[in-house]
Amino acid sequence: GQQLNQSPQSMFIQEGEDVSMNCTSSSIFNTWLWYKQDPGEGPVLLIALYKAGELTSNGRLTAQFGITRKDSFLNISASIPSDVGIYFCAGQVDNFNKFYFGSGTKLNVKP
Amino acid sequence: DTGVSQDPRHKITKRGQNVTFRCDPISEHNRLYWYRQTLGQGPEFLTYFQNEAQLEKSRLLSDRFSAERPKGSFSTLEIQRTEQGDSAMYLCASSLSGGQGADTQYFGPGTRLTVL
């Protein structure tokens, strides 16, 4: 199967700091999705990316579809305590096919 | 609420018992996916349907697992003769195929299975 490497595995930051995390794959992807998951809940979609080089924002979140189509980045600006959770990237090789997920980045925010 | 729903949210069973989970996708979505997630890992693909047709099954889906989507709306995932290794969160997602932006998957809240 496809390998998705997500880093860092975990982060401890102070409220107000900016955060950056990324995913790299061994294959070219056509779609990248970023999700946030709270304990005991399903992942919630944050941002969807469909074209190489695409930069998309959702409030304080910004994600980019890498030019090589093998990576993606998620940035969170001015973090707040409710940003705490696990962030997952997901990539799709062909349209209308399954998604492969990274192993997640656990974000902790100190008030 | 028009999101993906799953039932039950939690299930505790004894080893060897059968369990069945239900997923109701977003109403206009024609694609439905099942994933399994264990602690500290991302979701792993199990199977997916387009309308009522099951188009792909993962090697993770042993013979004890079966999924159906008889009318192309809700889906069920059954695990027979459960084993302790089946303990996980089972997630359902749905999407609408066709065009850019299609196949963006929206997840339900999951069913947490504990096999004793």
Side-chain angles (χ1 to χ4, degrees):
Chain A
Q2 306 298 332
Q3 292 282 335
L4 267 189
N5 296 309
Q6 188 171 350
S7 65
Q9 281 189 319
S10 64
M11 306 179 74
F12 291 83
I13 63 168
Q14 204 71 36
E15 183 177 0
E17 288 183 354
D18 297 344
V19 170
S20 186
M21 59 191 80
N22 71 82
C23 261
T24 58
S25 77
S26 54
S27 300
I28 290 174
F29 283 166
N30 286 339
T31 301
W32 284 98
L33 305 177
W34 284 92
Y35 291 88
K36 177 176 183 270
Q37 188 174 29
D38 293 327
E41 300 294 329
V44 173
L45 182 67
L46 300 174
I47 292 180
L49 301 160
Y50 305 107
K51 287 168 59 174
E54 181 180 355
L55 185 72
T56 298
S57 293
N58 177 9
R60 294 177 296 106
L61 277 61
T62 302
Q64 184 160 27
F65 194 141
I67 288 290
T68 65
R69 296 169 63 194
K70 290 187 175 184
D71 56 4
S72 180
F73 305 86
L74 176 70
N75 296 316
I76 305 173
S77 62
S79 58
I80 58 178
S82 62
D83 291 334
V84 167
I86 303 178
Y87 292 79
F88 289 100
C89 61
Q92 187 183 49
V93 175
D94 297 311
N95 288 340
F96 319 132
N97 205 337
K98 60 182 176 283
F99 278 86
Y100 298 91
F101 280 78
S103 54
T105 293
K106 187 172 184 180
L107 179 62
N108 297 278
V109 180
K110 291 185 195 175
Chain B
D1 184 12
T2 57
V4 179
S5 61
Q6 291 186 245
D7 183 68
R9 292 292 309 274
H10 304 274
K11 179 70 178 179
I12 299 174
T13 190
K14 291 183 180 177
R15 191 175 49 160
Q17 297 294 305
N18 299 342
V19 294
T20 300
F21 310 141
R22 176 179 170 126
C23 171
D24 287 87
I26 293 171
S27 58
E28 64 269 23
H29 284 185
N30 56 353
R31 290 203 148 203
L32 187 149
Y33 299 77
W34 285 99
Y35 291 85
R36 182 172 70 186
Q37 186 179 27
T38 53
L39 203 60
Q41 299 298 318
E44 293 177 292
F45 170 79
L46 292 178
T47 188
Y48 84 88
F49 294 83
Q50 174 145 328
N51 301 312
E52 64 275 7
Q54 189 172 16
L55 297 186
E56 188 172 351
K57 291 194 287 188
S58 162
R59 283 171 291 179
L60 291 175
L61 215 65
S62 76
D63 291 345
R64 297 183 297 105
F65 287 69
S66 62
E68 293 183 347
R69 196 183 183 197
K71 297 181 182 178
S73 56
F74 73 91
S75 175
T76 57
L77 177 69
E78 181 184 15
I79 309 174
Q80 296 182 326
R81 304 181 303 281
T82 53
E83 302 172 355
Q84 288 182 324
D86 296 332
S87 296
M89 174 81 94
Y90 289 84
L91 293 162
C92 175
S94 71
S95 69
L96 179 65
S97 64
Q100 188 187 39
D103 223 30
T104 299
Q105 297 184 12
Y106 297 88
F107 281 86
T111 294
R112 167 74 64 188
L113 173 66
T114 302
V115 181
L116 302 176

